């Protein structure tokens, strides 16, 4: 594949060569792996969700977008909206980079409503002649007609002493009459952290210092922090870089997870919390962002991808998609539960299902097939050693989700899922799980799967790149018997 030069990567969309975009669109159109119900870029690369918000009766969700290729180049905010969290409308460019304070990209950020406008705070990425980064925190606003204007100056124009130029991804919230933001940062000793700012008007920001968490050192950079309160607890979600794999934990090259504790003390920056936990146990999940719905629900969306990982669609002119929206609750004071938002039931079409007991066999039910569907599979184990599902399966391909009752582990294996993936990320994920009944709730799309275990106690999110003809759904059980109840809705 042609690697772009720096000059090519940092081009604006207007600087595309004649025919370049048409050629990309053409490539995208021929890709067998375009998603059917996930948010994906029209061309080029999608990464982080940005500006997730509810404004004037609709959800707005932007994403990091490099239109001209699948490398990380000049980033835009692409704008989508939805009235129901299930069907999204693509609205085109939300924020375009290229100004003096975002000359090399309108990087990640968040949105908040104030005085009838939606304000978007984001990181303006700039590089000088020596290619040194200078991050600015910038502001843009959208009115009720959807017109977006950028403020002509940054609202935070320098990095405070003690931190490197890896200083980005502001997430804004309001508490009392003031606004606060948390920013992902790297200390000059090359450890990651999050810092806090306060403002009365979103324009003038005062540096409050670091969020004083119990995690130090914990990786070399924290990206995309998101702080919110839920059920009287404080939650910080962030994407630390530089954690070492530890058994079944931290197997992806970068992690996204959370800590839960007492609400952040806004006068001291003190945040007392429990242990860090990964949000997802699959392969492709990063830079999660949440918002609050009009009914008070906390809803999360993430990038179904990872930085520095190649994807098979790179040669098809596009890469990346967002996860489905998931609603969050806290279990037992220290664990986040993620459930697909119930609105996704609007996508359901034809329904089929069965109840059956299997004994040492692999069973493909007649017509139980698909490439884009929602599936609920409930299993009571009796005495089997291994049981589970093979899906997107054919003679030569299958993605396997199983429970090993001896090891008490859920295992997702994409070794034979289809087109080989970047070696760097591996092909098997395991997660300890103690249960004698299982509920596997899957959202399968053309090139992805999101699996909610026992109503969101664990989630496995993965891209897979099967042949379009690999459609079978098979149930299996070995070393004994198990009862399966399955129900599928095509999407
Ligand atoms: C995370 C990230 C952010 C940055 C953005 C640039 O994936 O690196 O830290 O703002 O992507 O696209």
């Amino acid at each position: 594949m042609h690697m772009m030069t720096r000059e090519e990567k940092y081009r604006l969309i207007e600087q595309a060569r004649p025919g370049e975009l048409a050629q990309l669109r053409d490539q995208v159109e021929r890709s067998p792996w375009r998603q059917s119900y996930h948010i994906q870029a029209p061309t080029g690369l999608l990464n982080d969700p940005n500006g997730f918000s509810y404004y004037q009766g609709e959800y707005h969700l932007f994403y990091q977008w490099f239109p001209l290729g699948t490398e990380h180049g000049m980033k835009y905010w692409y704008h989508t909206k939805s009235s129901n969290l299930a069907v999204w409308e693509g609205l085109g460019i939300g924020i375009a980079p290229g100004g003096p304070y975002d000359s090399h990209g309108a990087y990640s950020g968040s949105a908040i409503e104030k005085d009838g406008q939606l304000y978007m705070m984001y990181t303006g990425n700039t590089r000088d002649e020596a290619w040194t980064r200078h991050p600015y925190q910038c502001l843009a606003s959208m009115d009720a007609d959807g017109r977006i204007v950028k403020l002509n100056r940054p609202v935070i124009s320098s990095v405070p002493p003690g931190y490197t130029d890896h200083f980005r991804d502001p997430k804004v919230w309001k508490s009392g009459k003031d606004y606060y933001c948390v920013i992902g940062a790297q200390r000059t000793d090359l450890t990651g952290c999050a810092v806090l700012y306060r403002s009365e008007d979103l324009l003038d920001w005062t540096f409050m210092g670091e969020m004083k968490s119990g995690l130090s050192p914990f990786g070399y950079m924290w990206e995309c922090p998101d702080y919110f309160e839920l059920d009287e607890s404080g939650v910080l979600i962030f994407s630390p870089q530089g954690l070492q794999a530890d058994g079944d934990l931290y197997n992806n090259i970068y992690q996204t997870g959370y800590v839960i504790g007492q609400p952040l003390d806004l006068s001291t920056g003190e945040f007392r919390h429990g242990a860090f936990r990964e949000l997802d146990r699959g392969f492709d999940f990063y830079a999660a962002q949440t918002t609050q719905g009009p009914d008070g629900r906390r809803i999360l969306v993430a990038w179904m991808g990872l930085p520095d990982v190649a994807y098979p669609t790179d040669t098809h002119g596009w890469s990346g998609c967002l996860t489905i929206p998931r609603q969050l609750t806290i279990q037992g004071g220290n664990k986040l539960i993620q459930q697909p938002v119930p609105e996704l039931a609007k996508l359901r079409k034809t329904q089929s299902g069965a109840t059956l007991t299997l004994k040492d066999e692999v069973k493909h039910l007649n017509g139980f097939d698909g490439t884009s569907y929602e599936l609920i599979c409930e299993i009571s184990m009796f005495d089997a050693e291994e049981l589970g599902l093979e899906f997107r399966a054919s003679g030569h391909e299958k993605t396997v989700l199983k429970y090993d009752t001896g090891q008490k582990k859920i295992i997702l294996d994409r070794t034979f899922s289809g087109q080989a993936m970047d070696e760097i990320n591996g092909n098997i994920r395991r997660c300890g799980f103690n249960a004698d009944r299982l509920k596997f709730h899957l959202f399968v799309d053309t090139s992805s799967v999101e699996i909610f275990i026992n109503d969101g106690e664990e989630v496995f999110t993965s891209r897979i790149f099967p042949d379009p003809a690999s459609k079978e759904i098979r149930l299996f059980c070995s070393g004994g018997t198990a009862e399966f109840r399955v129900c599928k809705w095509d999407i």
Side-chain angles (χ1 to χ4, degrees):
M1 202 177 71
H2 165 75
M3 297 295 283
M4 285 187 170
T5 61
R6 189 186 276 175
E7 287 68 29
E8 286 176 306
K9 281 202 278 199
Y10 287 89
R11 284 175 307 153
L12 292 166
I13 201 162
E14 301 83 49
Q15 295 167 309
R17 289 182 296 273
E20 187 177 356
L21 267 168
Q23 194 194 340
L24 272 174
R25 281 193 209 103
D26 202 51
Q27 263 183 298
V28 170
E29 199 153 303
R30 280 182 280 120
S31 174
W33 289 311
R34 290 295 278 172
Q35 299 278 56
S36 74
Y37 61 95
H38 283 84
I39 294 175
Q40 60 192 342
T43 60
L45 177 134
L46 166 157
N47 57 303
D48 315 352
N50 292 159
F52 192 17
S53 51
Y54 185 81
Y55 171 66
Q56 302 276 348
E58 287 171 310
Y59 289 93
H60 291 267
L61 177 53
F62 302 78
Y63 58 77
Q64 286 286 285
W65 183 41
F66 174 48
L68 298 179
T70 54
E71 294 171 59
H72 287 267
M74 184 69 104
K75 297 289 173 68
Y76 287 70
W77 278 36
Y78 187 101
H79 188 188
T80 72
K81 68 171 188 176
S82 171
S83 58
N84 59 16
L85 293 171
V87 180
W88 294 88
E89 186 187 344
L91 299 173
I93 294 168
I95 300 177
Y101 304 105
D102 56 14
S103 58
H104 291 67
Y107 275 11
S108 286
S110 55
I112 192 163
E113 185 175 349
K114 175 178 175 283
D115 304 332
Q117 303 245 23
L118 188 71
Y119 284 88
M120 287 156 277
M121 188 168 172
Y122 67 97
T123 301
N125 183 49
T126 70
R127 297 273 195 173
D128 62 18
E129 296 80 58
W131 203 246
T132 303
R133 254 179 225 275
H134 297 281
Y136 295 95
Q137 312 310 317
C138 302
L139 199 68
S141 62
M142 183 171 90
D143 65 19
D145 297 324
R147 271 189 302 264
I148 298 176
V149 245
K150 297 202 281 189
L151 188 71
N152 59 6
R153 60 178 174 86
V155 293
I156 299 175
S157 51
S158 60
V159 172
Y163 303 94
T164 73
D165 53 8
H166 287 288
F167 195 83
R168 53 181 175 261
D169 311 336
K171 173 74 201 263
V172 191
W173 75 97
K174 193 176 184 190
S175 177
K177 59 175 193 17
D178 287 337
Y179 296 91
Y180 294 84
C181 80
V182 59
I183 294 181
Q186 180 180 61
R187 301 185 189 103
T188 41
D189 70 0
L190 306 187
T191 56
C193 66
V195 302
L196 295 165
Y197 282 77
R198 176 191 283 123
S199 171
E200 285 175 11
D201 54 8
L202 298 177
L203 293 168
D204 289 319
W205 290 91
T206 308
F207 180 55
M208 295 166 60
E210 261 178 44
M211 190 182 234
K212 298 186 187 74
S213 80
L215 298 171
S216 196
F218 198 71
Y220 59 79
M221 170 65 190
W222 292 9
E223 294 192 313
C224 303
D226 185 338
Y227 176 78
F228 57 90
E229 284 165 17
L230 185 61
D231 299 344
E232 273 137 57
S233 292
V235 182
L236 178 71
I237 289 179
F238 61 107
S239 296
Q241 300 191 318
L243 304 186
Q244 298 304 314
D246 176 9
D248 294 335
L249 296 176
Y250 314 153
N251 284 194
N252 294 341
I253 66 164
Y254 305 121
Q255 275 59 52
T256 294
Y258 62 94
V259 290
I260 299 186
Q262 287 162 18
L264 169 67
D265 183 335
L266 289 168
S267 59
T268 61
E270 201 86 42
F271 183 38
R272 291 158 165 270
H273 57 76
F276 176 82
R277 282 178 191 252
E278 282 176 278
L279 268 168
D280 197 277
R281 305 304 298 267
F283 300 88
D284 306 284
F285 185 93
Y286 198 71
Q289 189 174 84
T290 71
T291 193
Q292 195 169 27
D295 50 5
R297 271 185 302 170
R298 182 57 57 174
I299 307 161
L300 174 145
V301 165
W303 170 26
M304 222 195 287
L306 285 173
D308 304 329
V309 173
Y311 285 90
T313 61
D314 290 349
T315 51
H316 300 171
W318 71 284
S319 112
C321 64
L322 298 183
T323 65
I324 52 171
R326 302 150 179 210
Q327 84 196 31
L328 300 180
T329 48
I330 297 181
Q331 187 186 66
N334 62 3
K335 187 169 181 190
L336 280 183
I337 300 297
Q338 296 177 64
Q339 279 279 63
V341 294
E343 286 92 332
L344 291 166
K346 288 188 203 313
L347 301 174
R348 292 174 177 172
K349 295 183 194 139
T350 315
Q351 180 182 348
S352 51
T355 301
L356 64 165
T357 301
L358 298 190
K359 181 171 171 17
D360 278 313
E361 62 190 308
V362 183
K363 183 119 190 155
H364 172 221
L365 301 170
N366 216 353
F368 214 53
D369 298 308
T371 57
S372 173
Y373 53 85
E374 177 185 348
L375 175 82
I376 296 179
C377 174
E378 289 171 283
I379 313 175
S380 354
M381 288 161 228
F382 306 130
D383 55 3
E385 283 165 14
E386 281 197 339
L387 37 92
L389 288 170
E390 295 175 358
F391 55 97
R392 296 308 309 271
S394 60
H396 61 292
E397 289 179 352
K398 60 183 175 184
T399 300
V400 184
L401 172 68
K402 68 183 179 191
Y403 187 59
D404 179 320
T405 57
Q407 290 187 64
K408 297 202 180 307
K409 283 190 182 181
I410 311 261
I411 300 167
L412 176 64
D413 187 345
R414 65 172 184 187
T415 311
F416 302 107
S417 287
Q419 173 107 8
M421 293 283 299
D422 202 326
E423 279 297 314
I424 198 164
N425 216 7
N427 284 313
I428 299 180
R429 290 289 179 273
R430 297 182 176 84
C431 169
F433 198 80
N434 202 348
D436 53 13
R437 292 182 71 81
L438 288 170
K439 181 175 172 192
F440 293 158
H441 190 174
L442 279 70
F443 284 79
V444 172
D445 203 340
T446 316
S447 55
S448 68
V449 58
E450 290 160 272
I451 305 165
F452 298 82
I453 312 285
N454 285 15
D455 297 311
E457 283 192 38
E458 300 291 347
V459 189
F460 290 73
T461 299
S462 278
R463 299 304 303 276
I464 47 172
F465 297 92
D467 192 310
S470 297
K471 288 185 178 178
E472 289 182 11
I473 303 167
R474 306 172 188 146
L475 315 174
F476 71 86
C477 149
S478 64
T481 56
E483 186 181 282
F484 287 74
R485 218 170 76 201
V486 285
C487 184
K488 173 184 72 120
W489 295 266
D490 292 328
I491 296 183

